């Protein structure tokens, strides 16, 4: 079943560091320490995959705050989000600002639509590489002191967020298949001085880019075949 809890942590980035060979355990993470009114949160951005040495994929780009919906103005702390469009939840496949050419709402002023079109990297391909490549791509946006939004699943005990990556499209038979779900993807975003957000999205090569309403991968059919 999808995550029981999913949401976004809003706070201030105070520290970031990589796992070391002595501490990384089964997976390699970039660790974040985020201050919020209720305390300091631990966040683990998973940038590793055991599928291959290039089993992790990522995108980095910049978005205006208006593209993020209500989450850009939420106060500090962890906030549960509805798994639905418009709530502020992320879905790499369905969110207008995270997929191909977005269908911008008709009520948006023309000048804002033009800014959105310019800043979103339309149909941007995923970059593939090693865990160290992914860490190097993420770290430039991790400016200490910046406001930060971290999307994912909250810890069951203590202050923290994990599953900060795509959380749908995992293949049948894997241990992650039961957790597939739409509008529950993770992500890391930091607010720039101009108010825009630097965005880092990450997934694994084993996760598919086409999913059904339950977040399970959809079998792609070649043209001309039934």
């Amino acid at each position: 079943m999808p995550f029981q809890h999913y949401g976004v942590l809003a706070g201030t980035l105070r520290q970031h560091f990589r796992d070391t060979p002595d501490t990384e355990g089964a997976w390699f993470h970039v660790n974040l320490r985020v201050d919020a009114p209720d305390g300091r949160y631990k966040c683990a951005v998973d940038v590793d995959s055991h599928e291959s040495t290039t089993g992790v994929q990522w995108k980095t780009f910049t978005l205006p705050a208006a593209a993020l919906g209500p989450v850009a103005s939420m106060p500090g702390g962890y906030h549960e989000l509805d798994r639905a469009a418009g709530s502020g939840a992320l879905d790499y496949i369905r969110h207008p600002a995270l997929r191909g050419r977005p269908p911008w709402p008709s009520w948006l002023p023309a000048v804002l639509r033009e800014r959105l079109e310019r800043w979103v990297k339309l149909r941007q391909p995923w970059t593939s590489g090693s865990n160290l490549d992914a860490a190097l791509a993420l770290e430039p946006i991790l400016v200490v002191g910046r406001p930060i939004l971290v999307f994912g699943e909250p810890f069951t005990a203590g202050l923290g967020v994990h599953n900060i990556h795509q959380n749908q499209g995992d293949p049948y038979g894997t241990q992650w298949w039961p957790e597939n779900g739409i509008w529950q993807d993770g992500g890391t975003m930091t607010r720039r001085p101009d108010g825009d957000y630097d965005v880092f999205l990450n997934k694994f090569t084993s996760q598919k880019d086409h999913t059904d309403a339950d977040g399970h991968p959809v079998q792609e059919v070649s043209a001309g075949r039934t």
Side-chain angles (χ1 to χ4, degrees):
M1 61 180 294
F3 297 148
Q4 185 174 0
H5 296 284
Y6 166 80
V8 62
L9 168 65
T12 302
L13 180 65
R14 286 306 175 203
Q15 185 184 17
H16 65 89
F17 57 93
R18 301 178 190 175
D19 285 340
T20 67
D22 293 332
T23 62
E24 67 182 48
W27 305 98
F28 179 84
H29 304 88
V30 174
N31 299 280
L32 314 178
R33 298 294 181 262
V34 177
D35 285 346
D38 53 338
R40 181 162 292 179
Y41 283 73
K42 299 178 179 180
C43 305
V45 184
D46 197 330
V47 290
D48 195 7
S49 171
H50 291 179
E51 293 294 321
S52 72
T53 56
T54 57
V56 64
Q57 298 180 305
W58 63 89
K59 294 182 182 183
T60 57
F61 51 93
T62 302
L63 283 175
L68 303 179
V71 296
S73 58
M74 287 181 175
Y78 172 78
H79 306 273
E80 281 282 306
L81 297 175
D82 290 337
R83 258 66 67 86
S87 70
L90 298 187
D91 188 308
Y92 292 3
I93 299 167
R94 296 166 181 83
H95 194 294
L98 306 184
R99 55 184 176 85
R101 184 179 179 85
W104 305 118
S106 59
W107 51 263
L108 281 179
V111 64
L112 182 53
R113 289 200 297 272
E114 290 175 4
R115 291 181 68 204
L116 291 169
E117 293 277 6
R118 186 170 65 250
W119 280 328
V120 178
K121 293 185 177 180
L122 302 177
R123 297 181 177 85
Q124 181 193 33
W126 291 97
T127 299
S128 298
S130 70
N131 53 7
L132 293 179
D133 293 330
L136 287 169
L138 167 60
E139 288 166 342
I141 79 168
L142 299 179
V143 180
V144 172
R146 271 191 182 184
I148 188 170
L149 298 173
V150 182
F151 297 79
E153 182 184 26
F155 287 179
T156 55
L159 300 178
V161 178
H162 64 149
N163 281 323
I164 307 168
H165 50 69
Q166 179 170 308
N167 293 304
Q168 60 181 311
D170 278 298
Y172 179 78
T174 65
Q175 67 187 85
W176 302 284
W177 166 273
E179 295 184 342
N180 280 335
I182 64 174
W183 294 104
Q184 61 167 23
D185 288 333
T188 308
M189 307 182 184
T190 60
R191 194 174 75 205
R192 300 157 53 99
D194 62 7
D196 294 336
Y197 279 82
D198 287 330
V199 179
F200 179 85
L201 306 181
N202 48 306
K203 66 184 287 288
F204 308 109
T205 54
S206 57
Q207 294 176 313
K208 302 304 182 183
D209 293 325
H210 301 282
T211 61
D212 62 21
D214 295 318
H216 296 314
V218 174
Q219 181 68 37
E220 297 183 34
V221 179
S222 300
R225 296 183 63 179
T226 58

